[in-house]
Amino acid sequence: DDITRRLGEAEGKLQRLDAAVQDREAQLDAATSEWLKGVVREELEELNREREDVRGQVSGFRQELQQFSERLGTVENNVLGLGSRIEGLQVHSDA
């Protein structure tokens, strides 16, 4: 649950950063002065760095969820196998 919550938060942050980048790109296109273009470019660089960091977090959380799912599948298989062995022992002892 914690990983899923953190993944959702990171995905939400990534969406906000994507929107902010698009907004700054529109500002850059509309800017008329070189000074303003420079300021907006710096903001874009910072937003893009942050966006890449968050993308890495999202990827990491997804990988953690995948690994957890795989471990859970292994545990479920072990439990099912153990249940089958117990049933087999019960049948054998009843006979």
Side-chain angles (χ1 to χ4, degrees), residues 38-89:
V39 169
V40 174
R41 280 188 190 108
E42 287 177 16
E43 289 177 354
L44 270 170
E45 288 174 8
E46 184 177 326
L47 286 170
N48 281 319
R49 279 192 300 274
E50 187 175 357
R51 190 166 61 166
E52 288 306 309
D53 289 344
V54 173
R55 279 188 179 136
Q57 291 173 2
V58 166
S59 177
F61 291 142
R62 286 182 179 156
Q63 186 175 15
E64 283 183 55
L65 282 174
Q66 178 65 34
Q67 290 170 350
F68 177 76
S69 178
E70 289 170 2
R71 285 192 307 265
L72 184 59
T74 300
V75 169
E76 287 175 348
N77 287 338
N78 289 342
V79 168
L80 290 173
L82 181 59
S84 296
R85 282 186 256 153
I86 290 172
E87 287 175 11
L89 287 173

Side-chain angles (χ1 to χ4, degrees), residues 10-24:
E11 287 175 332
K13 186 173 184 177
L14 185 57
Q15 288 175 350
R16 290 188 297 277
L17 285 167
D18 286 341
V21 165
Q22 289 175 351
D23 181 56
R24 293 307 184 283

